Amino acid sequence: MSAHGREIQTDEDGLIRLQKLLAQSGVASRRRCEELMLEGSVEVDGEVVTRLGTKVDPRTAVVRVEGKRLPPVSAHVYLVLNKPRGVVSTMSDPEGRRTLQDLVEDRPERLFHVGRLDTDTSGLILLTNDGDFAQRMAHPSYEVDKTYVAEVEGEVFRRTIKQLLEGVTLEDGPVTVKKAKVVETLGERSIVELVIHEGRNRIVRRLLDHVGHPVRRLTRTAIGSVQLKGLAPGELRDLTHDELGELLDAASM
């Protein structure tokens, strides 16, 4: 039985002592994990657990250490991919274009993509073999903040940023922009960063077009606390424990 890349040793009932689970999951040494429990820093299913003999089922227990979610034991993988521009956000394409599958063909799992990115948009996309997680994360009621960096035509002035933050209504309804700022102005173009939580089709491009600044290049740089930095185009990495815990909470899983 593994927890996000680590083997977890349980007893014949499938249970494990809590401090042992914490240590095997990489939280800290066994002794430090016992101290964390005694300090009241460990919760299981919403209850603080301080008794050192406590056993839990690592597959189902919702464990938090100092408020941070410890992902459950599972055979699932949760990956971050830096999707290059020109790659289609599907696992197969009848037109024969390059797809996400081409970037992960050496992986043994059957992977699903969480949401999509336009073919001409690059950046962060999540992949997993956990179908429930993929569906839940893509559902409008659970959408987490997504950060985009756009190179747009023209100089973006403060009044435009204010307009974005006050809310823009497109043909398919209003869009809430959580944060917006000009990162850089380069003559006849600007670099703008936006944080939104919506996943409607081509939403960022339509939004910026609406306020008079057509997008030349667009990259998604973050989903929640999951950052793109350090990943070259086409590269993959596993979500960290903290990143996965936060997304599981966001998806109410």
Side-chain angles (χ1 to χ4, degrees):
M1 195 179 284
S2 67
H4 211 45
R6 295 175 182 270
E7 287 302 315
I8 297 292
Q9 306 298 322
T10 59
D11 63 22
E12 57 195 19
D13 296 323
L15 303 178
I16 184 172
R17 285 177 185 263
L18 183 54
Q19 65 266 39
K20 190 176 176 185
L21 173 63
L22 298 178
Q24 289 189 16
S25 296
V27 171
S29 68
R30 176 86 71 92
R31 177 164 296 216
R32 178 59 188 140
C33 290
E34 290 177 351
E35 289 171 359
L36 286 166
M37 288 177 66
L38 293 171
E39 289 165 7
S41 299
V42 180
E43 286 181 21
V44 178
D45 298 332
E47 301 286 331
V48 174
V49 176
T50 55
R51 191 168 62 81
L52 295 180
T54 302
K55 289 188 172 186
V56 297
D57 184 335
R59 294 159 300 188
T60 58
V62 175
V63 180
R64 294 181 193 282
V65 181
E66 296 180 323
K68 287 187 176 177
R69 173 84 173 267
L70 189 74
V73 170
S74 110
H76 292 132
V77 296
Y78 304 89
L79 304 167
V80 185
L81 170 69
N82 184 353
K83 183 188 90 67
R85 194 177 182 187
V87 172
V88 186
S89 286
T90 58
M91 302 315 279
S92 64
D93 181 60
E95 296 175 34
R97 294 172 295 179
R98 198 170 176 220
T99 68
L100 298 173
Q101 184 62 45
D102 295 318
L103 302 175
V104 296
E105 55 192 357
D106 58 339
R107 300 284 310 196
E109 308 90 359
R110 177 171 178 251
L111 295 168
F112 307 94
H113 50 91
V114 178
R116 328 168 65 88
L117 282 175
D118 301 331
T119 304
D120 49 356
T121 298
S122 61
L124 198 154
I125 194 163
L126 301 177
L127 298 168
T128 182
N129 59 348
D130 182 345
D132 290 341
F133 174 77
Q135 277 193 317
R136 191 70 79 96
M137 281 295 295
H139 193 278
S141 60
Y142 296 107
E143 282 176 352
V144 295
D145 288 345
K146 299 175 184 74
T147 306
Y148 294 86
V149 173
E151 178 189 316
V152 301
E153 293 178 15
E155 184 177 348
V156 178
F157 295 105
R158 189 174 296 175
R159 63 176 178 270
T160 305
I161 295 295
K162 187 168 182 282
Q163 182 185 357
L164 288 167
L165 291 171
E166 285 174 351
V168 172
T169 299
L170 300 177
E171 66 275 10
D172 55 353
V175 185
T176 301
V177 177
K178 196 166 180 181
K179 294 179 185 172
K181 67 177 182 181
V182 177
V183 177
E184 197 175 355
T185 302
L186 308 159
E188 292 300 303
R189 56 201 172 93
S190 304
I191 306 292
V192 180
E193 184 178 88
L194 296 179
V195 178
I196 64 172
H197 66 263
E198 304 206 29
R200 278 184 269 165
N201 189 37
R202 299 179 73 81
I203 189 82
V204 177
R205 291 176 185 277
R206 292 191 290 125
L207 188 62
L208 289 166
D209 200 41
H210 183 85
V211 295
H213 296 281
V215 172
R216 290 183 174 190
R217 295 182 77 90
L218 182 63
T219 300
R220 183 159 66 196
T221 57
I223 297 177
S225 66
V226 184
Q227 301 279 333
L228 185 65
K229 59 187 177 191
L231 268 188
E235 273 190 352
L236 274 175
R237 69 168 174 85
D238 288 295
L239 282 174
T240 66
H241 268 84
D242 286 351
E243 288 169 342
L244 178 55
E246 192 174 297
L247 291 179
L248 288 170
D249 275 350
S252 299
M253 291 183 76

